Amino acid sequence: MSKPLEGIKIIDFTHVQAGPACTQLLAWFGADVIKVERPGSGDVTRSQLRDIPDADALYFTMLNSNKRSLTLDTKTPEGKEVLEKLVKESDVLVENFAPGALDRMGFTWERLNELNPKLIVASVKGFSDGHHYDDLKVYENVAQCAGGAASTTGFWDGPPTVSAAALGDSNTGMHLAIGILTALIGRGQTGRGQKVAVSMQDSVINLCRVKLRDQQRLDRVGYLEEYPQYPHGEFSDVVPRGGNAGGGGQPGWVLKCKGWETDPNAYIYFTIQGHAWEPICRALGKPEWISDPNYATAQARQPHIFDIFATIEAWLADKTKYEAVDILRKFDIPCAPVLSMKEIANDPSLRASGTIVEVPHKERGTYLTVGSPIKFSGLKPEITGSPLLGEHTDEILSELGYSKDQIANLHTSRSV
Ligand code: COA
């Protein structure tokens, strides 16, 4: 099966998570992604949180599948020359260095554009260009805090809380992938490359859109009727943390199921969506609630929503989370079990769909990773193991026209 991005060559000058997540996605879809890494050490994640001594850590292997690895010291004259050759032959350069690092290396946007006017230069930074924090180095949780996610996540009586989901890192990488693909289509129209920049703060803000909606509603009316604070609690002038309340206007909560006393994940998420109220009452054996004026509308329910959740929890007490969902799904009630990572790793449906995949690795044996969450009718991304450090250095140099002797000299000078 041919892959849509076949023939697109990408210089992957990324590290840690945000950039690698972007280029990995493009590699799955057929791009030739050449990961450029510092000789000797490579991407810092190769050695971070190792579970097998001396083997690439899962942090690296799970973000760098389907790529080739070229070691290159881009601060030596010889290394710079190799990079220049690569730039001339490539379609995209992706980087997520600290602000100014690429410029200090001598590869400003102007220089790259001069070397290859068709090149798309894609960058991740913590904050956007011109922002008053644009000199900062940024990691995941910093972005979650600066992007509004932390102030709106957690419980009202606790501190701002970050999410386990990589809203700052992988999410920014996904935004960048969209930017790169857009620029590639644009290049088809104009023949020219361009600079594509995504900041981690902006990417988090983009996912916190509904919280900005809520800020404006709060400014206007002084309360937010779907938050647990309504109608008994107090609102200040900023969007509060709403615990596990549903963000889209449907009240919902995480509810205990059978076994919660010993199993930290024996819970379901239960949503009380307006149109599902009748089936909910039937499923719970409470048909009298359907027409009771204290329960019949969302507005009538809100003042005692936690009593309703308590009644549902009583109904759940003798059902496992899976049994509960199996009953509720028959009534078309939006709900799901709270799944642990162990359950996700072993879920047969996720294995069958290719979302959780096992891939071979030269040093580790087989490891588990997340495959493509995007499914196509005409493409089944095949996930291959991540490259060893410098595994493809000689191969790539010879593709660039270097002779065996020249390659040997580059090794001797420690430029590759
Ligand atoms: N050859 C020679 N030098 C190399 C190189 C190579 N192949 N690859 C990297 N370097 C150099 C860089 O040029 C830089 O040198 P300089 O500081 O002298 O200019 C140096 O290595 C360190 O790079 P830097 O990006 O500053 O790494 P760091 O470990 O200090 O910071 C981050 C890490 C992630 C905080 C930082 O890169 C950053 O803020 N990136 C943007 C936001 C981001 O992506 N955050 C991470 C999300 S997972």
Side-chain angles (χ1 to χ4, degrees), residues 134-289:
D134 72 0
D135 56 328
L136 282 179
K137 290 190 173 184
V138 170
Y139 286 107
E140 172 68 57
N141 292 346
V142 177
Q144 290 202 27
C145 290
S151 73
T152 52
T153 302
F155 283 80
W156 45 91
D157 52 358
T161 305
V162 296
S163 164
L167 307 177
D169 284 344
S170 278
N171 167 45
T172 306
M174 300 305 105
H175 278 77
L176 192 68
I178 295 168
I180 291 169
L181 295 172
T182 304
L184 279 168
I185 293 172
R187 191 181 72 173
Q189 293 157 359
T190 64
R192 289 192 306 277
Q194 60 179 306
K195 207 169 143 180
V196 182
V198 180
S199 88
M200 295 168 73
Q201 182 192 36
D202 291 356
S203 301
V204 175
I205 291 173
N206 191 28
L207 296 199
C208 289
R209 194 169 286 261
V210 297
K211 297 298 175 185
L212 187 58
R213 172 201 69 187
D214 293 347
Q215 185 60 53
Q216 295 173 83
R217 292 168 56 222
L218 187 64
D219 290 345
R220 191 174 302 274
V221 299
Y223 62 88
L224 297 164
E225 70 250 29
E226 76 284 23
Y227 280 60
Q229 290 83 344
Y230 181 84
H232 308 297
E234 302 245 310
F235 284 90
S236 73
D237 61 350
V238 298
V239 175
R241 291 184 271 287
N244 287 316
Q250 308 89 21
W253 206 252
V254 170
L255 301 179
K256 291 170 186 150
C257 294
K258 185 177 161 187
W260 67 272
E261 298 88 341
T262 51
D263 176 355
N265 296 305
Y267 292 81
I268 60 168
Y269 197 88
F270 192 102
T271 304
I272 305 185
Q273 213 168 15
H275 72 78
W277 181 242
E278 242 188 84
I280 289 169
C281 298
R282 291 191 203 291
L284 298 176
K286 292 269 181 198
E288 65 276 15
W289 278 1

Side-chain angles (χ1 to χ4, degrees), residues 398-416:
S398 104
E399 284 168 13
L400 286 173
Y402 285 90
S403 67
K404 278 200 169 130
D405 286 348
Q406 288 171 316
I407 294 173
N409 287 340
L410 283 167
H411 279 287
T412 313
S413 71
R414 294 177 190 275
S415 294
V416 298

Side-chain angles (χ1 to χ4, degrees), residues 20 27 56 77 129 154 177 179 252 255 280 363 372 388:
D56 286 334
D129 229 8
L255 301 179
I280 289 169
E363 288 175 342
S372 174
L388 300 179

